[in-house]
Amino acid sequence: MKAFADGFVLIGGFLAFAAFGYYAISKLEDFLKQIRVDGDYDQQEEQGELNIAAANLCAMQVGAIVLKDMKKEHPNLHCTLSVGEEPELLHALGAGNVDIVILYSKAARNKAVWQREVMLRAQPFINGDGMEIRPIQPVLQSQFVAWNHQDRRPFILEFVEKLCGQGA
């Protein structure tokens, strides 16, 4: 009879341990699902918009290559590229209509604007009609990248770093 009682206690202990293990695993699964949902939410927050303008079509081509690489890493990134004259680009930057401008010359001393010089090789490209647009002189050209001092969004800083690394 004692052996029967010992066996019964052993089986009861095993069943209690199994029930506790099942409960712990189900709670772990709920916890991991919550983390996964929070992770998806954080990824959606990474959605961003980047508006870039350049005074040079060929500089814009290099910028488009950088943006293509960034879109691989950040698929939720929405980009707009514009081309215009330097004074209108600087006005758009000051008004907050664009995030980054690529200029031929250094912007006037302005404490509200960060600037970096970058050497870019003008690259030919084909427009939507199949016409090739190529620079007369495909040499390295000095350009200046400018963005608002107060705007520290990671996409802006990442674009500037990658563009400046595209140079040489």
Side-chain angles (χ1 to χ4, degrees), residues 69-86:
D69 289 343
M70 286 179 64
K71 293 256 320 155
K72 288 177 187 173
E73 297 172 25
H74 311 286
N76 295 329
L77 179 63
H78 176 71
C79 306
T80 304
L81 306 173
S82 306
V83 177
E85 298 293 322
E86 284 192 16

Side-chain angles (χ1 to χ4, degrees), residues 149-163:
H149 182 278
Q150 296 176 355
D151 199 347
R152 297 194 181 259
R153 289 181 289 157
F155 291 129
I156 292 174
L157 301 176
E158 181 179 348
F159 176 83
V160 171
E161 289 302 317
K162 287 187 177 197
L163 181 70

Side-chain angles (χ1 to χ4, degrees), residues 94-168:
N97 297 331
V98 295
D99 302 314
I100 299 170
V101 293
I102 304 171
L103 309 166
Y104 288 115
S105 58
K106 196 171 191 174
R109 292 185 186 253
N110 185 345
K111 291 183 179 183
V113 175
W114 286 103
Q115 304 182 66
R116 278 185 67 180
E117 184 174 11
V118 62
M119 298 298 288
L120 298 177
R121 182 172 308 281
Q123 298 181 358
F125 62 95
I126 298 176
N127 72 3
D129 296 330
M131 182 181 302
E132 185 176 15
I133 299 173
R134 81 173 54 191
I136 293 175
Q137 298 177 351
V139 296
L140 285 174
Q141 298 175 351
S142 176
Q143 303 280 315
F144 291 88
V145 183
W147 67 99
N148 283 327
H149 182 278
Q150 296 176 355
D151 199 347
R152 297 194 181 259
R153 289 181 289 157
F155 291 129
I156 292 174
L157 301 176
E158 181 179 348
F159 176 83
V160 171
E161 289 302 317
K162 287 187 177 197
L163 181 70
C164 292
Q166 282 285 65

